[in-house]
Amino acid sequence: MEIPYTVEARPDTGVPNAKLGVWLFLASEVMLFGALFSSYVLLRTGAAPGTWHHGREFLSVPLATLNTLILIASSVTMVMSWASLKLNNFKQYRVYMGLTILAGLGFMVVKAFEYGHKFELGLFPKSNTFLAIYFTLTGLHGLHVLGGMIVNGYFWGPGAKLWRTQPERFANRIEVAGLYWHFVDLVWIFLFPTLYLL
Amino acid sequence: MSASDVEAIRKQTRVYVGVFIALAIGTILTVAVSYLHMPVALAILIALTIASFKGSLVAAFFMHLSHERKVIYWLLLLTVVFFLALMFIPSLTQWNQRYVR
C-alpha cells in the first residue's frame, strides 16, 4: 500500500504527513522532559535549606561546555545535510550526515567519560537527590542522542537508497529526522546551564 | 528546482553558519557569566534568558519555524500551554504547603 502525502502537502494540514507526525512526537517529548524539569525544580526548591548539592561540586564544566559545542555543531551539519540534498548534491549530504553521526558519537564518548569518572568516585544516582535527577535527565537525553544516531546511521547507509528512486521523499525524511536531532540539541541547551552551572 | 530556489538554499546555508557562531558565543557567555558568582535568582534569570535565546535560534532556523505552516504553530501553542502548566506545578505545591493545612 502506498503511504499518502510523503512529498506533497496534505490539503487540510498544509504539510506532508511525516512532518506533522514528527512534530506531534516532539510535543510528547516536550511533556516528557518538561515533567522531569518540573520534578527537578520541585526537588530543588523543596530541599531543606543547605542540604541541596550543586552540580559544580561533582560535574566538569569544561567537558560539558565541549559537549554543548559538539552538539550545536552537529545541528549545523544536520541542517547542512538536508540543504545538500535540496541542492542535489548527494556526496555532500553523505559528508555532512557522516559528520553529524560522528559528532553524536563524540558527545556520547565525552558523556561516558563523565559517567565513568563519577562511578570511580563512588557517585551514583542513589548518592544524593541532585545526582539522582542528574543521571535521570542526562541518561534520558543520552538515550535520545543514541536513538538519533541510529536513525541518522540508517539514512547515511541503507536508507539512502531511496534517494535514487524518490529524491524529494528522501529529502523530506532527512528534514524530519533533523527536526528530532535539533530537538535533542535544544533539550541539551537547557540541561547544560540548569544542571552544570546553577 | 529553479535557480532562485537554489540561490535561496545557498543563502540559508550562510544563515546556518551565522546561527552556529551565535550559539557558540551564547554557550561561552553562559559559562563566563556563571563564574561571576551572582545571587542565585539573577544567575538563574541570566542563564535561562541566554538558553531561551539559543533555543529560539535553533527552533527558528534549524527547525524552520521562522516559516512554517499554521498547523505546526497551533500544535506548538498547545504544547507551550501544557508545558507551562507543568512548570507551575512546583509553585502550586509550595503554595499548597504554605497556606493549605
mmCIF file of all heavy atoms in Angstrom, chain B residues 58-80:
data_model
loop_
_atom_site.group_PDB
_atom_site.id
_atom_site.type_symbol
_atom_site.label_atom_id
_atom_site.label_comp_id
_atom_site.label_asym_id
_atom_site.label_seq_id
_atom_site.Cartn_x
_atom_site.Cartn_y
_atom_site.Cartn_z
ATOM 1 N N VAL B 58 17.722 27.917 17.431
ATOM 2 C CA VAL B 58 17.662 26.539 16.911
ATOM 3 C C VAL B 58 16.276 26.281 16.305
ATOM 4 O O VAL B 58 16.157 25.777 15.189
ATOM 5 C CB VAL B 58 17.971 25.506 18.034
ATOM 6 C CG1 VAL B 58 17.672 24.086 17.572
ATOM 7 C CG2 VAL B 58 19.426 25.614 18.476
ATOM 8 N N ALA B 59 15.232 26.658 17.051
ATOM 9 C CA ALA B 59 13.861 26.400 16.585
ATOM 10 C C ALA B 59 13.539 27.203 15.322
ATOM 11 O O ALA B 59 12.984 26.674 14.368
ATOM 12 C CB ALA B 59 12.867 26.721 17.693
ATOM 13 N N ALA B 60 13.918 28.486 15.317
ATOM 14 C CA ALA B 60 13.547 29.357 14.193
ATOM 15 C C ALA B 60 14.283 28.990 12.907
ATOM 16 O O ALA B 60 13.678 28.966 11.832
ATOM 17 C CB ALA B 60 13.812 30.813 14.554
ATOM 18 N N PHE B 61 15.577 28.707 13.020
ATOM 19 C CA PHE B 61 16.357 28.496 11.793
ATOM 20 C C PHE B 61 16.585 27.023 11.462
ATOM 21 O O PHE B 61 16.267 26.590 10.357
ATOM 22 C CB PHE B 61 17.685 29.251 11.876
ATOM 23 C CG PHE B 61 17.493 30.727 11.933
ATOM 24 C CD1 PHE B 61 17.569 31.415 13.127
ATOM 25 C CD2 PHE B 61 17.173 31.438 10.775
ATOM 26 C CE1 PHE B 61 17.357 32.793 13.179
ATOM 27 C CE2 PHE B 61 16.948 32.807 10.814
ATOM 28 C CZ PHE B 61 17.043 33.487 12.015
ATOM 29 N N PHE B 62 17.114 26.248 12.424
ATOM 30 C CA PHE B 62 17.408 24.840 12.101
ATOM 31 C C PHE B 62 16.117 24.028 11.935
ATOM 32 O O PHE B 62 16.053 23.118 11.122
ATOM 33 C CB PHE B 62 18.268 24.204 13.193
ATOM 34 C CG PHE B 62 19.651 24.785 13.291
ATOM 35 C CD1 PHE B 62 20.440 24.556 14.405
ATOM 36 C CD2 PHE B 62 20.175 25.555 12.263
ATOM 37 C CE1 PHE B 62 21.716 25.080 14.503
ATOM 38 C CE2 PHE B 62 21.451 26.094 12.355
ATOM 39 C CZ PHE B 62 22.225 25.861 13.476
ATOM 40 N N MET B 63 15.097 24.353 12.756
ATOM 41 C CA MET B 63 13.842 23.599 12.669
ATOM 42 C C MET B 63 12.830 24.300 11.760
ATOM 43 O O MET B 63 11.664 23.883 11.694
ATOM 44 C CB MET B 63 13.255 23.395 14.078
ATOM 45 C CG MET B 63 14.174 22.600 14.992
ATOM 46 S SD MET B 63 13.613 22.548 16.699
ATOM 47 C CE MET B 63 12.721 20.995 16.711
ATOM 48 N N HIS B 64 13.294 25.360 11.102
ATOM 49 C CA HIS B 64 12.493 26.072 10.093
ATOM 50 C C HIS B 64 11.193 26.660 10.634
ATOM 51 O O HIS B 64 10.238 26.840 9.879
ATOM 52 C CB HIS B 64 12.173 25.162 8.898
ATOM 53 C CG HIS B 64 13.386 24.529 8.299
ATOM 54 N ND1 HIS B 64 13.400 23.269 7.774
ATOM 55 C CD2 HIS B 64 14.650 24.976 8.167
ATOM 56 C CE1 HIS B 64 14.595 22.969 7.345
ATOM 57 N NE2 HIS B 64 15.385 23.993 7.573
ATOM 58 N N LEU B 65 11.152 26.967 11.926
ATOM 59 C CA LEU B 65 9.900 27.512 12.477
ATOM 60 C C LEU B 65 9.661 28.971 12.089
ATOM 61 O O LEU B 65 8.578 29.490 12.307
ATOM 62 C CB LEU B 65 9.876 27.368 14.003
ATOM 63 C CG LEU B 65 9.469 26.004 14.547
ATOM 64 C CD1 LEU B 65 9.404 26.030 16.058
ATOM 65 C CD2 LEU B 65 8.120 25.555 13.989
ATOM 66 N N SER B 66 10.703 29.612 11.536
ATOM 67 C CA SER B 66 10.511 31.010 11.125
ATOM 68 C C SER B 66 9.572 31.103 9.918
ATOM 69 O O SER B 66 9.008 32.151 9.641
ATOM 70 C CB SER B 66 11.859 31.662 10.805
ATOM 71 O OG SER B 66 12.501 30.934 9.791
ATOM 72 N N HIS B 67 9.438 29.978 9.196
ATOM 73 C CA HIS B 67 8.494 29.997 8.060
ATOM 74 C C HIS B 67 7.821 28.627 7.961
ATOM 75 O O HIS B 67 8.097 27.838 7.084
ATOM 76 C CB HIS B 67 9.203 30.362 6.749
ATOM 77 C CG HIS B 67 10.426 29.544 6.484
ATOM 78 N ND1 HIS B 67 11.638 29.857 7.027
ATOM 79 C CD2 HIS B 67 10.605 28.416 5.770
ATOM 80 C CE1 HIS B 67 12.517 28.960 6.639
ATOM 81 N NE2 HIS B 67 11.923 28.062 5.889
ATOM 82 N N GLU B 68 6.940 28.382 8.925
ATOM 83 C CA GLU B 68 6.254 27.083 8.959
ATOM 84 C C GLU B 68 4.754 27.277 8.753
ATOM 85 O O GLU B 68 4.253 28.404 8.766
ATOM 86 C CB GLU B 68 6.564 26.416 10.312
ATOM 87 C CG GLU B 68 6.275 24.938 10.417
ATOM 88 C CD GLU B 68 6.717 24.101 9.220
ATOM 89 O OE1 GLU B 68 5.919 24.013 8.268
ATOM 90 O OE2 GLU B 68 7.821 23.540 9.238
ATOM 91 N N ARG B 69 4.053 26.159 8.552
ATOM 92 C CA ARG B 69 2.603 26.219 8.337
ATOM 93 C C ARG B 69 1.859 26.440 9.655
ATOM 94 O O ARG B 69 2.352 26.083 10.718
ATOM 95 C CB ARG B 69 2.120 24.904 7.704
ATOM 96 C CG ARG B 69 2.696 24.650 6.340
ATOM 97 C CD ARG B 69 1.981 25.476 5.310
ATOM 98 N NE ARG B 69 2.697 25.434 4.044
ATOM 99 C CZ ARG B 69 2.293 26.075 2.968
ATOM 100 N NH1 ARG B 69 1.213 26.825 3.022
ATOM 101 N NH2 ARG B 69 2.968 26.001 1.852
ATOM 102 N N LYS B 70 0.649 26.991 9.514
ATOM 103 C CA LYS B 70 -0.156 27.338 10.696
ATOM 104 C C LYS B 70 -0.399 26.153 11.629
ATOM 105 O O LYS B 70 -0.373 26.300 12.856
ATOM 106 C CB LYS B 70 -1.511 27.886 10.234
ATOM 107 C CG LYS B 70 -1.609 29.393 10.348
ATOM 108 C CD LYS B 70 -3.026 29.816 10.074
ATOM 109 C CE LYS B 70 -3.064 31.310 9.803
ATOM 110 N NZ LYS B 70 -4.293 31.684 9.129
ATOM 111 N N VAL B 71 -0.646 24.983 11.047
ATOM 112 C CA VAL B 71 -0.988 23.811 11.869
ATOM 113 C C VAL B 71 0.125 23.494 12.878
ATOM 114 O O VAL B 71 -0.144 23.109 14.021
ATOM 115 C CB VAL B 71 -1.323 22.588 10.964
ATOM 116 C CG1 VAL B 71 -0.105 22.085 10.207
ATOM 117 C CG2 VAL B 71 -1.905 21.450 11.779
ATOM 118 N N ILE B 72 1.376 23.718 12.463
ATOM 119 C CA ILE B 72 2.514 23.441 13.356
ATOM 120 C C ILE B 72 2.534 24.479 14.492
ATOM 121 O O ILE B 72 2.782 24.139 15.650
ATOM 122 C CB ILE B 72 3.852 23.465 12.573
ATOM 123 C CG1 ILE B 72 3.810 22.514 11.361
ATOM 124 C CG2 ILE B 72 5.041 23.144 13.492
ATOM 125 C CD1 ILE B 72 3.778 21.045 11.678
ATOM 126 N N TYR B 73 2.247 25.746 14.159
ATOM 127 C CA TYR B 73 2.220 26.795 15.193
ATOM 128 C C TYR B 73 1.126 26.510 16.232
ATOM 129 O O TYR B 73 1.340 26.663 17.433
ATOM 130 C CB TYR B 73 1.990 28.172 14.575
ATOM 131 C CG TYR B 73 3.142 28.674 13.723
ATOM 132 C CD1 TYR B 73 2.921 29.305 12.508
ATOM 133 C CD2 TYR B 73 4.464 28.517 14.141
ATOM 134 C CE1 TYR B 73 3.974 29.765 11.729
ATOM 135 C CE2 TYR B 73 5.522 28.968 13.366
ATOM 136 C CZ TYR B 73 5.270 29.595 12.155
ATOM 137 O OH TYR B 73 6.313 30.038 11.392
ATOM 138 N N TRP B 74 -0.044 26.082 15.755
ATOM 139 C CA TRP B 74 -1.144 25.770 16.682
ATOM 140 C C TRP B 74 -0.778 24.607 17.597
ATOM 141 O O TRP B 74 -1.038 24.627 18.795
ATOM 142 C CB TRP B 74 -2.441 25.447 15.908
ATOM 143 C CG TRP B 74 -3.135 26.682 15.428
ATOM 144 C CD1 TRP B 74 -3.290 27.078 14.131
ATOM 145 C CD2 TRP B 74 -3.751 27.713 16.227
ATOM 146 N NE1 TRP B 74 -3.952 28.287 14.073
ATOM 147 C CE2 TRP B 74 -4.252 28.694 15.336
ATOM 148 C CE3 TRP B 74 -3.917 27.895 17.593
ATOM 149 C CZ2 TRP B 74 -4.908 29.842 15.772
ATOM 150 C CZ3 TRP B 74 -4.572 29.043 18.037
ATOM 151 C CH2 TRP B 74 -5.056 29.992 17.130
ATOM 152 N N LEU B 75 -0.150 23.618 16.984
ATOM 153 C CA LEU B 75 0.285 22.440 17.741
ATOM 154 C C LEU B 75 1.280 22.852 18.833
ATOM 155 O O LEU B 75 1.181 22.421 19.985
ATOM 156 C CB LEU B 75 0.936 21.443 16.763
ATOM 157 C CG LEU B 75 1.675 20.246 17.347
ATOM 158 C CD1 LEU B 75 0.676 19.281 17.939
ATOM 159 C CD2 LEU B 75 2.476 19.540 16.270
ATOM 160 N N LEU B 76 2.206 23.742 18.446
ATOM 161 C CA LEU B 76 3.226 24.174 19.408
ATOM 162 C C LEU B 76 2.639 25.065 20.499
ATOM 163 O O LEU B 76 3.063 25.007 21.652
ATOM 164 C CB LEU B 76 4.366 24.886 18.687
ATOM 165 C CG LEU B 76 5.287 23.932 17.921
ATOM 166 C CD1 LEU B 76 6.337 24.698 17.157
ATOM 167 C CD2 LEU B 76 5.951 22.941 18.869
ATOM 168 N N LEU B 77 1.645 25.874 20.116
ATOM 169 C CA LEU B 77 0.991 26.736 21.103
ATOM 170 C C LEU B 77 0.341 25.883 22.201
ATOM 171 O O LEU B 77 0.491 26.165 23.397
ATOM 172 C CB LEU B 77 -0.054 27.621 20.412
ATOM 173 C CG LEU B 77 -0.761 28.627 21.317
ATOM 174 C CD1 LEU B 77 0.206 29.709 21.778
ATOM 175 C CD2 LEU B 77 -1.963 29.259 20.614
ATOM 176 N N LEU B 78 -0.336 24.833 21.765
ATOM 177 C CA LEU B 78 -0.974 23.903 22.705
ATOM 178 C C LEU B 78 0.084 23.252 23.610
ATOM 179 O O LEU B 78 -0.110 23.110 24.821
ATOM 180 C CB LEU B 78 -1.722 22.831 21.896
ATOM 181 C CG LEU B 78 -2.814 22.053 22.600
ATOM 182 C CD1 LEU B 78 -3.923 22.965 23.052
ATOM 183 C CD2 LEU B 78 -3.386 20.979 21.671
ATOM 184 N N THR B 79 1.208 22.889 22.991
ATOM 185 C CA THR B 79 2.300 22.263 23.755
ATOM 186 C C THR B 79 2.840 23.227 24.803
ATOM 187 O O THR B 79 3.094 22.844 25.945
ATOM 188 C CB THR B 79 3.442 21.849 22.801
ATOM 189 O OG1 THR B 79 2.879 21.127 21.714
ATOM 190 C CG2 THR B 79 4.463 20.970 23.488
ATOM 191 N N VAL B 80 3.008 24.494 24.402
ATOM 192 C CA VAL B 80 3.538 25.504 25.332
ATOM 193 C C VAL B 80 2.603 25.668 26.530
ATOM 194 O O VAL B 80 3.044 25.754 27.670
ATOM 195 C CB VAL B 80 3.758 26.855 24.596
ATOM 196 C CG1 VAL B 80 3.990 27.990 25.577
ATOM 197 C CG2 VAL B 80 4.934 26.742 23.636
#
